Amino acid sequence: MARAAVLAAGGIVLRQASPPLIAVVRLRKRNEWVLPKGKLDDGETPRDAAEREVNEETGHDVTVCEFLGTLVYESGGRSKVVHYWRMEANGGQAYDLTSDVREVDWLPLDAALERLSRGYERAFLANVGPLALQAAASNGVRAKAKTPASKKRRSRPPVPAQPPLVPPPVKVSPAPEPAVVANEIAGSEPAVDAMEAVPPVEAPEPVAPVDPSELTAAAEEPAPALPADRLGSKTVKLQPDTVPQAGTPELPDRATSTVEGRRKTFAERLRDLLRRAV
């Protein structure tokens, strides 16, 4: 049955110098130079364990920065998994070293690679060390760029508060008063009403009612005869299609044409009668 891997965490700890220095620690039992690290306690996160172990083994307060990578190797017949963060030391040594560490040393990257006793740690530092130095240099440049800007802002005199902008008042011309036609206000002769200039329209006289007997007599009255030379030699007589009923005036449906003349239609005679009545 395979044994569970040992989880540990540590840091590549840098101290500001020219060039920057990296912390390596010397173990008391094996007399080996290693990177500061240690096992996780129960319920502890790898990041918290890394900060705690570095504080104990270097004696310095540190600021934990970005994660750099994970190193896996065999130790005592078990796999050991170590997570590393880049860290920056703050000030000088503040704590006593833990009993497992004999001493701590701060070395440039090349010297730290030569000092490490274990080959897998040298290989790991050779890969992530330049990245840690580059990140530290970038942070230093950004910090220097921010300092003059803050001083420059402090040296500027305060800008007096400007009163709020109020739009100028808009002058509105009063609307002209409507003209009054009354004599009491205008003081002159009243204006002639436009309606008085229009002559009144007389109502038409009522049309007298027409007696039905007159309409019947007008229908039975023969039409005036036309000259024979205008009608020609032929005689054409058009008979009505229907026979008028008793008790109703005889209203021919079609006009009757003869050589002697033609009979007016009922509509024509009705129009003539109305004209005479008017």
Side-chain angles (χ1 to χ4, degrees):
M1 182 177 179
R3 300 174 65 183
V6 178
L7 300 180
I12 307 298
V13 188
L14 301 178
R15 190 170 68 180
Q16 293 296 330
S18 182
L21 305 177
I22 299 176
V24 291
V25 296
R26 184 180 182 184
L27 298 178
R28 185 176 299 276
K29 293 181 178 180
R30 300 183 180 180
N31 199 27
E32 294 178 339
W33 289 94
V34 297
L35 296 173
K37 60 183 179 300
K39 297 178 182 179
L40 273 65
D41 293 339
D42 293 339
E44 192 176 26
T45 64
R47 188 183 182 279
D48 292 340
E51 182 177 5
R52 176 183 55 79
E53 288 290 341
V54 168
N55 289 338
E56 294 176 356
E57 293 189 357
T58 64
H60 286 72
D61 285 323
V62 294
T63 300
V64 181
C65 303
E66 67 274 1
F67 177 76
L68 291 177
T70 301
L71 175 62
V72 182
Y73 56 93
E74 293 292 329
S75 176
R78 301 175 62 181
S79 296
K80 193 169 185 177
V81 179
V82 187
H83 304 291
Y84 284 94
W85 278 261
R86 182 179 72 87
M87 302 182 185
E88 293 183 0
N90 302 323
Q93 183 172 341
Y95 314 105
D96 294 335
L97 303 179
T98 182
S99 59
D100 295 338
V101 174
R102 180 177 296 181
E103 61 177 319
V104 58
D105 202 356
W106 299 87
L107 303 172
L109 177 59
D110 294 339
L113 290 172
E114 294 179 359
R115 181 71 63 88
L116 290 176
S117 303
R118 302 171 181 178
Y120 48 82
E121 286 192 349
R122 286 196 300 268
F124 180 77
L125 182 59
N127 283 276
V128 302
L131 299 178
L133 295 177
Q134 183 178 359
S138 299
N139 291 342
V141 171
R142 286 196 294 268
K144 291 180 181 179
K146 291 180 180 179
T147 302
S150 61
K151 291 181 179 180
K152 187 175 181 180
R153 285 194 297 270
R154 287 195 299 269
S155 63
R156 291 180 181 177
V159 179
Q162 297 293 335
L165 297 178
V166 179
V170 180
K171 295 182 179 180
V172 181
S173 300
E177 297 181 358
V180 182
V181 187
N183 294 339
E184 293 80 3
I185 299 178
S188 60
E189 295 296 330
V192 179
D193 193 355
M195 296 301 295
E196 296 180 0
V198 181
V201 180
E202 297 181 358
E205 296 181 359
V207 180
V210 181
D211 190 359
S213 61
E214 295 180 1
L215 297 178
T216 304
E220 293 178 353
E221 183 181 356
L226 295 178
D229 55 355
R230 295 179 59 186
L231 296 176
S233 57
K234 292 184 178 181
T235 299
V236 180
K237 187 175 182 180
L238 300 178
Q239 300 295 334
D241 295 338
T242 60
V243 179
Q245 298 178 3
T248 59
E250 184 181 355
L251 300 177
D253 295 336
R254 297 183 180 178
T256 304
S257 300
T258 62
V259 292
E260 294 82 9
R262 68 180 183 86
R263 181 175 296 176
K264 290 185 179 180
T265 63
F266 173 74
E268 293 175 343
R269 291 186 178 276
L270 179 60
R271 283 197 297 269
D272 293 342
L273 182 59
L274 293 175
R275 290 195 192 97
R276 289 197 299 271
V278 173

